[in-house]
Amino acid sequence: QIKTAADAMEKAGLDPARWEPIEIEASSWTVPVKKKAGDGSNTIEEVECWRVKIRCKPLLPDWAYTATNRLTERMKGLSGPFPPVKYSRKRKGRCVLEIAISDIHAGKFAIDGTWSLSEFETAFARTVDFIIDKCVGRNLAEIILPIGNDMLNVDTAMMTTTRGTPQGGRCTFADIYSSSMWATIRAVERCREVSPVRVIHVPGNHD
């Protein structure tokens, strides 16, 4: 018997992790019901009935679930668990490395039409490797990895900047978001091989 919003959502097949009830209306009443007694005679019983009406809204837009599902599938390929890395404890000559790769604009339409998200991921990983390789022999106390700084070319599912300026591109927002997150995860994993990592988000007008 449906008596609560949770009961109604379950009956309707609405996942509470994706939908939020914003209006709930519930009422109950009794109706007389004729039933047969053990001796064959008829009896009248009062049966309680319920009516539950709810209006729900999605907790997140569809693109967020699409991007999350794609990212989850890709992360299945990562081998875990990840053991802690033992870093050098030498305090003398320690320094901090900042890997600041700005204005990437992942998903931006290239003039020759060849720039893809796969190429972006490869270029980003190679850039991180190049910078880390330049610091071989350094006693790194920490790597600071700012993300954002227009890493994405768009900030909305409508393929616009934060202020609504339309941007060209061949990819969906879910494609761009999941690809950029995957590139960031790979960068963090690469950095932690040599030093503790601190990730800082620096929002841009495109992301």
Side-chain angles (χ1 to χ4, degrees):
Q1 190 178 30
I2 299 175
K3 293 184 177 181
T4 65
D7 295 336
M9 291 179 67
E10 181 179 2
K11 185 67 175 179
L14 297 178
D15 185 353
R18 295 191 59 173
W19 295 89
E20 177 187 15
I22 55 176
E23 289 184 11
I24 304 173
E25 180 183 331
S27 57
S28 65
W29 64 95
T30 58
V31 295
V33 177
K34 182 171 69 174
K35 291 187 176 182
K36 287 277 187 184
D39 59 1
S41 60
N42 293 325
T43 61
I44 302 298
E45 292 185 10
E46 294 289 330
V47 176
E48 186 180 39
C49 298
W50 281 82
R51 174 181 175 273
V52 179
K53 181 179 179 181
I54 61 173
R55 188 161 69 92
C56 299
K57 70 173 183 179
L59 290 171
L60 292 173
D62 289 340
W63 70 261
Y65 294 104
T66 301
T68 301
N69 290 335
R70 291 177 182 173
L71 193 59
T72 300
E73 286 299 315
R74 298 187 72 174
M75 291 183 68
K76 289 180 180 179
L78 296 177
S79 58
F82 302 100
V85 180
K86 294 183 179 180
Y87 305 112
S88 172
R89 295 189 176 184
K90 295 180 181 179
R91 294 188 175 276
K92 187 176 180 180
R94 301 186 81 182
C95 56
V96 173
L97 169 64
E98 179 181 356
I99 301 179
I101 310 173
S102 61
D103 288 300
I104 303 171
H105 292 270
K108 187 177 181 65
F109 187 79
I111 295 176
D112 59 5
T114 60
W115 183 251
S116 66
L117 290 176
S118 177
E119 290 173 305
F120 146 69
E121 292 176 17
T122 300
F124 190 79
R126 286 178 177 175
T127 303
V128 172
D129 283 335
F130 176 80
I131 296 173
I132 291 177
D133 290 343
K134 284 290 186 179
C135 297
V136 171
R138 299 277 187 177
N139 184 15
L140 295 177
E142 182 183 42
I143 294 179
I144 299 176
L145 181 65
I147 61 171
N149 286 314
D150 289 347
M151 183 176 190
L152 282 66
N153 191 48
V154 294
D155 194 29
T156 71
M158 300 301 293
M159 305 298 285
T160 69
T161 64
T162 307
R163 292 188 177 183
T165 304
Q167 301 294 303
R170 296 178 298 175
C171 311
T172 66
F173 188 50
D175 291 333
I176 298 171
Y177 182 84
S178 58
S179 178
S180 300
M181 286 296 294
W182 178 247
T184 301
I185 291 171
R186 290 179 61 193
V188 171
E189 288 301 316
R190 177 67 180 93
C191 291
R192 72 180 289 271
E193 294 176 2
V194 296
S195 173
V197 189
R198 180 156 54 105
V199 180
I200 301 175
H201 181 218
V202 183
N205 69 313
H206 284 258
D207 59 6

